Amino acid sequence: MAQGGWISRWPVLRQLRGENARGSAARSARTDALRPRTEDADSVARSVCPYCAVGCGQLVYVKDGRVTQIEGDPDSPISRGRLCPKGSASKQLVTHPGRQTQVLYRRPHGTEWESLDLETAMDMIADRVVRTRRETWQQEEGGKVVRRTMGIASLGGATLDNEENYLMKKLYTALGAIQVENQARI
Amino acid sequence: MAERMGFFTDTSVCIGCKACEVACKEWNDVPDDGFVFRATSYDNTGALGADSWRHVAFIEQSRPIRREREQAGPEGGLDGLDVLGELGGPGAPGGSDGPGGPGGPGGPDGQEGVEGWLMSSDVCKHCTHAACLDVCPTGALFRTEFGTVVVQADVCNGCGYCVPACPYGVIDRRERDGRAFKCTMCYDRQLGGLEPACAKACPTDSIQFGPLDELRARAEERVERLRGEGRARARLYGADPDDGVGGDGAFFLLLDDPEVYGLPPDPVVTTRDLPAMWRWAAGAALSLAGAVAVSFATAGRGRGWRR
Amino acid sequence: MAECHPVGFQWVVEAKARGAKVFHVDPRFTRTSAIADRHLPIRAGSDIVLLGALINHVLANELDFREYVTAYTNASSIVSDDFRDTEDLDGLFSGFDPDTRKYDPSSWAYAGGRQEAAAGQRSEQFEGGGRREDGAGRGQGEPEAGEQMEGGARHAEAAGADQYGSGGAETEARPLTDPTLRHPRCVYQILKRHFARYTPEMVEEVCGIPREGFTELAEAITANSGRERTTAWAYAVGWTQHTVGAQYIRTASILQLLLGNMGRPGGGILALRGHASIQGSTDIPTLFNILPGYLPMPHAHRHENLDDYLAHAGADTGFWGRKRSYMVSLLKAWWGEAATEDNDFCFGHLPRLTGDHGHYTTVMAQIDGTVKGYFVVGENPAVGSSGGRTQRLGLANLDWLVVRDLTLVETATFWKDGPELRTGETRTEDVATEVFFMPAASHVEKEGTFTNTQRLLQWRHKALDPPGDCRSELSFYYHLGKRIRARLSDDEIDRPLRELTWDYPEEGERAEPSAEAVLREINGTGPDGRALSAYTELEPDGSTRCGCWIYCGVYADEVNQAARRKPGREQSWVAPEWGWAWPANRRTLYNRASADPQGRPWSERKAYVWWDADRGEWTGHDVPDFEKDKPPDYLPPEGALAEAALAGTDPFIMQADGKGWLFAPAGLADGPLPTHYEPHESPLRNPLYGQQANPARRIYHREEAPYNPPQSPRFPYVLTTYRLTEHHTAGAMSRPLAYLAELQPELFCEVSPLLAERLGLVNGGWATIVTSRTAIEARVLVTDRVRPLRLAGRTVHQIGLPYHWGWGGGGLVTGDVANDLLPLVLDPNVYIQEGKAVTCDLRPGRRPTGRALLELIQEYRDG
């Protein structure tokens, strides 16, 4: 910074004096240190946008265990690095404070959520599946073998991975749960 | 100094998706601008400001009643056609050829309620002669090696002189901390050789980033082509180095008059007469600030053009 | 497309820059219309009239691509003389049973030979316990006891077309034909008669599209089709969410086949799907009626053992003829060593269908108390499905509910803050449902594949671990399966679970199952345990395993092909080395049709794949969707099966006859040809036929969700729902995000200035939209983009309503639930609801609250 008080630093004056005062001379130390934060990332994962079915490529930058940026993958022949507003908001999708990260439990007739640890919740759900399946097991209908349960149903899949849908369908089918549906029906 | 870089926003391919608004906020960590339903077409951003560095304008253009009547066949009209015409659409200027010109949507069936829907992503113009920079007393605003104009948040003291100085009404103080904010053309990204977040995200390449000279040449070709296709009102805005701000670092291809988009038709750097005045008056900075204010009053704020 | 698939739309913009002409047909003037060359506003629910008129225009003026049509479609096939068209029966086809409201499709079959019975035969033969080969109902077949509803129509019970798998319905590989197309019962002539009443005048009267607009469209698509040019159609749920949804797509298919636009570059009918892997969740289905690879779920009354199943699960000719290999390999993938030839490869482990077990039927079963436990995974039916109130009543009547999502979606919180609490219909304490909310991992916190809208599988690498209790569905279901298996008895009913292959490698602290191991199982392995390379390697003898035959090859050479990311700019425009497309990495399906019958490109401009006679193989820019070494002059020997039954000129290799079906002799529940029916709720009488609505549509007479009467003056307006660019579905992935919520903060309805004036609606003010289901409030957006339509001498007003809002869901912005307005009435083929064209009333001001809301609805119901 030039000497002589704030008025001498006023860019208009320095412009009149022919200095490059509005350019390099005005830069703060912070400005001098500026770099794109993606350069500091610990890792970059190649991903795909989770919203619609166009399948735009995404690059996910992670630093210190946090997502610091998600932007388009220029290599993708589908999207060529571009993203729509939803795809551009993907970092907020995965980091926003409203995301629920703990298991919650509501007991029958309960008026509030209660907390529950993950392992207990998993055991409780498994107990209920096994119990409901037994209680509602249907070996035959109208004289024909059906070996199924009409007591357990499932909805959802279009936002999930193929591998996930595969395990779901496989497990449900082995359980005899046939009322399995997803967004493709709607 | 590196090559001057700029934005060319070709509104003829803008689909109004607002990816630019979001990508800008994600990269620059700009806060949300409030959840206000404006009932102004699909625009709920309203204007550029400290918390909106990109703003997509939506302009619905209705068929003028005169043309409705001329073109409606004996069976082509609607009951209540007069009502239709009188009401117009929100922000319907009329009189434009828009995309409803030859080959555009609309066409001569006499029933269309809307003739065109213009969309345009507005941004800081990064003027060649930037009044905001001229009036900044702290040196917070500076011109980068890319020819862009950037506010340094760590230097800005929130005096606000820059706000009225801008002939486009772009730069704005954030209410929470008083400092001024606006588009940096992603200066940090440019330092790393990356294009600005908005231009990178833009699905249709409506926002193009590159060396300004190249962009201007490309824009000239594009506007010629559009005119050849019958878009007679297509024109460039901010591309002329001889205009009142010495040309913009961010310029536009518009399909209608600038006023239609809420842009001042003839922006002038508010500090245009400053050097002369300085020589004549050699007065104190305070009186100069007064001159700046007068200058603003005559030029008008860009925001005043928005409907 | 610009509205809902903006990044895909870049290619339309690019095509336009290269001279393409873009038409946008939509009730609304959207962001797509804004830069299309022409917007044609259409009354919601009338598209078959427009498409039918285009077909009529092509046929009447003989503008079809004749060489393509005669060689590659079933235009010359002769149809049974029992067939009666809607022309003859005032809107019905032959075979309709008014009591069951179902068709016996046997009279739609090709003439002569065993195909006479088509789909009906299969059903009948089984349901009747081994009937004669030709005993296909047709009115004279006497069904056995307990099969009264049949006559071949049972197929309509298990989601129509899907039961035939991806091969479509069975029919004859070589039906009788008249290559001159003059036989009065040949498909071409039937088509001509059927579509003759679909005229430009009718388009104007029914759709509201002026004649000039129609002419411009008709001329553009015919001028841009043929040897040198192609035309593509793109659609989304605006074409499918109708009681005639499947037939909308059929109409477009007929048009595209007539114009020679299928299997060719720049052609096709492109489904723009709305979720990241909605295609994948159909291929590897979390759907009731199919197994992976579109194999039908077995039906109790048709499929007692594997042989029964295979005999009646679609065609024996074409590539579907290999269905035994596909099915046995799937059973081996699931039950491993336990699956042997002696035990039918554990076919008996599969549960059986007995009818429609789709989403809406399941919800009714919840209300009726049959369904006790419900998993909801990344979906939000309390606001996202039609008839939200019905959905919530179902949820409230469960024993237990597991909801997995990123935020506390309304489906998880209905008991605490749902609309039925505010109207006083229920109280929190009265809801007995036990609810588990299980937080989900986001797309960056797990690895796996999405299948995009063009069948492309893309592997996502994991960026970081999920926070807190968040887990992937892969992890949840794997560990749930482990826990369930640990709780089994020796009981026979537990055998399918005990014998299930469920041994995926666990990785990391959280013991996550390996997604690559699952993908490899989906791909399949050979006798040596190595990954297979192609579905043609699958064997019917149990020596191969494959979790989804159409995905076989995604792990070829033990390499995750879906993870390939060779930059687009470093490869051809087809970009075959980015990800992996099913089947066999083919990017354009049925691309044999891009060459003429002799195997030469139709033109140099449109060259895609072609026959290289010197090398004796098909080659080109894409992987040929054809047997690589089958010459164009190949003729199948008598009695040939599977692909060997198709000639070298049969490009549609999954079809029994290798042809594109202009006329569907079997496989559809509501007719072999598309027919315009009015939506279930319509303000108009059907101007084309006496039959008002699809006679086979699926109706639920439930007090939870009554219908608006047709042509009711109480509900004079047409309502259509849609998405906005700024939001996603019911909002769980957009309303909690500040950067998206601020862009569209409130639910609004779009109305024309004329209607606003008439009703006293003020731009920015409030309006209440009413149907027999409920009333919701929305802000008013008065816009000329919504245009009143003049139809049949009257003006019809349409109201547009985006559906992204709900009362909670962690949203920074909330609003009433648009889907609560919609009726539960379904397409009979695929059981999709009619959400795009219903009727409503519109009133100025906010809706009443509490009991007063119920009273208002009651007033409307009582009339």
Side-chain angles (χ1 to χ4, degrees), chain B residues 15-16 18 21 25 30 33 37 39 42 44 60 62 79 84 87-90 103-106 111 113-114 117 203 225, chain C residues 6 10 17 28-31 36-38 726 739 742-746 750 753 763-764 779 782-785 787 795:
Chain B
I15 54 172
K18 309 180 192 171
E21 294 193 23
K25 291 197 172 201
V30 179
D33 209 355
F37 178 71
Y42 280 4
N44 293 302
E60 300 187 6
S62 297
D79 59 342
L84 242 178
L87 283 180
Q111 289 196 342
V114 71
W117 198 8
R225 179 174 166 173
Chain C
Q10 69 179 286
R28 289 190 304 159
F29 190 103
T30 72
R31 288 177 248 225
D37 292 291
R38 191 82 159 87
E726 297 90 341
Y739 292 164
E742 65 177 329
L743 299 178
Q744 290 289 4
E746 285 198 63
E750 297 191 271
N763 188 46
R779 300 289 290 268
V782 180
T783 171
D784 276 332
R785 290 182 296 99
R787 199 191 95 164
T795 300

Side-chain angles (χ1 to χ4, degrees), chain C residues 83 223 321 366 532 553 590 598 687 699 755 762 808:
Chain C
F83 173 66
Q366 291 170 0
L532 295 168
Y590 301 128
Q598 290 75 41
I699 298 169
L755 185 61
V762 180

Side-chain angles (χ1 to χ4, degrees), chain B residues 47-63:
Chain B
L48 292 173
D51 296 337
S52 294
W53 300 356
R54 274 270 176 194
H55 164 232
V56 181
F58 290 78
I59 300 103
E60 300 187 6
Q61 298 189 307
S62 297
R63 178 180 300 271

Side-chain angles (χ1 to χ4, degrees), chain A residues 48-104:
Chain A
V48 178
C49 182
Y51 287 96
C52 84
V54 170
C56 300
Q58 291 189 333
L59 298 174
V60 183
Y61 295 85
V62 176
K63 168 85 173 163
D64 300 330
R66 291 186 57 81
V67 175
T68 56
Q69 172 69 353
I70 298 179
E71 60 186 63
D73 183 350
D75 288 347
S76 167
I78 299 166
S79 56
R80 298 190 291 190
R82 305 167 192 184
L83 291 174
C84 78
K86 295 187 285 285
S88 295
S90 296
K91 185 182 74 164
Q92 202 166 57
L93 174 72
V94 300
T95 60
H96 74 82
R99 216 181 132 183
Q100 183 65 36
T101 59
Q102 302 300 319
V103 172
L104 291 176

Side-chain angles (χ1 to χ4, degrees), chain A residues 166-180:
Chain A
Y166 181 77
L167 285 200
M168 288 169 68
K169 183 73 174 183
K170 184 176 176 182
L171 181 61
Y172 286 136
T173 306
L175 282 166
I178 58 169
Q179 296 161 109
V180 178

